[in-house]
């Protein structure tokens, strides 16, 4: 939460200082960022202290957060539910995403996150262009910055995240999926960043995450043309990890999440940290980071449990300690 708080406060300060403050007040109220920015450190510490209770209290009309059954304890699902707008990202959905990701980051019992949709044939259609037309340029700037920081917060969650894509994942919808660790889609998926057709560019991380995933040349072609591709093509260029028959992406994602959930939670978190942060620094520094992350696993009870389970030929019972 601290990382997102710093980003959000900085963005709101920049926007308010550089433009007419009155233009931002409606959007600030919609995103509920004024109260968020004015909260004291003690309030944040109290909020963090709620730990595992917090997932049970977070909900909004367009974003639902739920735990899976006891047999899948540790797996949580973020469900997009705005059927009237094909899960287009407006202020309410953005607010729901922000609060939901913060809640997950503060829950020590969460091991894997699935981002899904309850709307048939759509993951997320991108920005809410009807709402966007009613915003002034400063308001749009503020909104896109908030969206970018929210997706960056998603990307840096300490646990693995999986985007479950059935149908359309376009614009901001694809950018959200790009911020996840893994992407699994159905064959009928349609993925693309069509922003240049609206005379803008992908502004919530698409120009940076897509080339890191599929390579510079392929990313440029997709962004320059705004071309949409299907699930099989997406898998062939490395945009998604799996492409399965339409309607089966959720089952495949749950299968992968269960495999992850059986592993040592601290080890998974340290592996994610070493990979994600290591890619952004030079090789020598990355190897030092790997050593630091490895050391974090040595003193854990889970490491001892893993060794004991191996010797006793049984499944380990990891606790994340």
């Amino acid at each position: 939460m601290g990382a997102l708080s710093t980003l959000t406060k900085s963005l709101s300060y920049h926007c308010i200082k550089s433009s007419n403050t009155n233009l931002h007040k409606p959007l600030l109220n919609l995103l509920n960022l004024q109260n968020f920015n004015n909260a004291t450190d003690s309030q944040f510490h109290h909020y963090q202290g709620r730990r595992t209770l917090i997932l049970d209290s977070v909900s909004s009309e367009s974003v639902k957060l739920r735990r899976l059954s006891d047999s899948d304890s540790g797996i949580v699902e973020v469900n997009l539910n705005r059927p009237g707008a094909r899960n287009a990202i407006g202020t309410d959905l953005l607010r729901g995403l922000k609060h939901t990701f913060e809640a997950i980051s503060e829950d020590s019992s969460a091991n894997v996150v699935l981002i899904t949709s309850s709307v048939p044939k759509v993951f997320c259609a991108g920005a809410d262009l009807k709402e966007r037309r009613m915003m002034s340029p400063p308001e749009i700037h503020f909104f896109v910055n908030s969206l970018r920081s929210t997706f960056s917060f998603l990307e840096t969650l300490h646990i693995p995240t999986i985007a479950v894509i059935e149908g359309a994942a376009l614009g901001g919808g694809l950018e959200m999926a790009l911020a996840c660790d893994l992407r699994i889609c159905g064959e009928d998926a349609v993925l693309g960043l069509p922003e240049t057709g609206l005379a803008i560019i992908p502004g919530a991380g698409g120009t940076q995450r897509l080339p890191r995933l599929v390579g510079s040349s392929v990313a440029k072609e997709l962004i320059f043309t705004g071309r949409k591709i299907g699930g099989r093509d997406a898998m062939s260029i490395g945009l998604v990890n799996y492409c399965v028959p339409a309607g089966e992406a959720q089952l495949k994602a749950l299968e992968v999440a269960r495999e992850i959930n059986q592993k040592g939670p601290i080890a998974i978190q340290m592996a994610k940290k070493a990979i994600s942060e290591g890619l952004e620094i030079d090789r020598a520094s990355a190897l030092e980071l790997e050593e630091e992350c490895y050391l974090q696993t040595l003193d854990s009870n889970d490491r001892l449990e893993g060794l004991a389970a191996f010797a006793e030929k049984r499944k380990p019972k990891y606790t994340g300690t």
Side-chain angles (χ1 to χ4, degrees):
M1 183 169 180
L4 184 59
S5 173
T6 301
L7 279 168
T8 308
K9 290 178 183 178
S10 174
L11 290 171
S12 109
Y13 172 79
H14 172 77
C15 289
I16 292 172
K17 183 178 179 182
S18 60
S19 304
N20 187 335
T21 304
N22 291 328
L23 291 174
H24 295 279
K25 284 184 178 178
L27 191 60
L28 282 165
N29 289 330
L30 282 170
L31 290 175
N32 199 26
L33 289 176
Q34 286 177 322
N35 292 335
F36 177 74
N37 287 337
N38 290 334
T40 66
D41 288 339
S42 62
Q43 287 174 312
F44 284 136
H45 291 314
H46 173 72
Y47 186 58
Q48 289 174 332
R50 292 164 63 187
R51 305 299 291 176
T52 60
L53 296 176
I54 199 165
L55 285 187
D56 300 324
S57 62
V58 175
S59 183
S60 76
E61 286 194 18
S62 53
V63 182
K64 305 294 183 182
L65 178 60
R66 73 180 184 95
R67 298 177 186 275
L68 298 195
S69 64
D70 290 342
S71 61
D72 290 317
S73 176
I75 303 174
V76 297
E77 181 181 272
V78 177
N79 184 261
L80 308 180
N81 183 38
R82 198 184 176 205
R86 291 168 52 83
N87 287 340
I89 305 173
T91 51
D92 179 70
L93 194 143
L94 174 55
R95 181 174 58 243
L97 288 172
K98 181 177 77 73
H99 290 166
T100 298
F101 297 153
E102 289 169 357
I104 293 170
S105 75
E106 293 159 8
D107 192 290
S108 60
S109 68
N111 294 331
V112 190
V113 181
L114 303 180
I115 300 182
T116 68
S117 166
S118 62
V119 181
K121 297 184 179 181
V122 63
F123 173 70
C124 175
D128 186 336
L129 297 182
K130 291 182 180 179
E131 185 178 281
R132 181 71 58 86
R133 288 183 63 189
M134 304 302 293
M135 294 181 182
S136 67
E139 286 177 328
I140 295 172
H141 182 205
F142 179 82
F143 181 88
V144 174
N145 280 350
S146 299
L147 186 62
R148 186 186 305 112
S149 67
T150 298
F151 289 168
S152 292
F153 188 80
L154 166 64
E155 183 177 43
T156 57
L157 281 177
H158 61 289
I159 58 177
T161 55
I162 304 174
V164 184
I165 304 170
E166 294 280 8
L170 302 173
L174 180 55
E175 289 180 300
M176 176 162 50
L178 289 170
C180 292
D181 297 304
L182 308 176
R183 285 151 296 281
I184 297 173
C185 75
E187 289 179 328
D188 64 345
V190 179
L191 304 94
L193 296 174
E195 283 86 349
T196 53
L198 296 172
I200 56 175
I201 67 171
T207 64
Q208 303 307 305
R209 294 190 179 98
L210 185 62
R212 284 169 168 76
L213 193 62
V214 304
S216 172
S217 182
V218 173
K220 286 177 180 177
E221 189 265 330
L222 290 175
I223 292 174
F224 292 170
T225 65
R227 182 166 64 89
K228 303 176 183 67
I229 60 174
R232 289 295 173 188
D233 286 340
M235 188 172 73
S236 71
I237 64 173
L239 179 52
V240 300
N241 298 81
Y242 295 96
C243 179
V244 297
E248 296 183 12
Q250 174 83 9
L251 292 175
K252 182 62 180 178
L254 187 56
E255 175 189 323
V256 174
R258 284 170 172 161
E259 287 187 53
I260 296 171
N261 197 36
Q262 293 174 4
K263 307 302 187 289
I266 296 174
I268 294 295
Q269 293 171 26
M270 290 300 102
K272 175 171 178 174
K273 178 180 176 69
I275 295 168
S276 298
E277 295 182 16
L279 285 172
E280 302 300 323
I281 55 181
D282 64 87
R283 180 70 61 85
S285 299
L287 289 171
E288 290 179 5
L289 172 64
E290 181 184 73
E291 179 184 6
E292 293 171 7
C293 291
Y294 186 87
L295 289 173
Q296 292 292 316
T297 67
L298 282 182
D299 293 329
S300 69
N301 293 325
D302 282 348
R303 184 183 72 85
L304 299 178
E305 166 62 12
L307 291 173
F310 178 79
E312 298 164 14
K313 297 182 180 180
R314 60 173 174 80
K315 292 187 73 171
K317 296 179 180 178
Y318 295 126
T319 61
T321 61

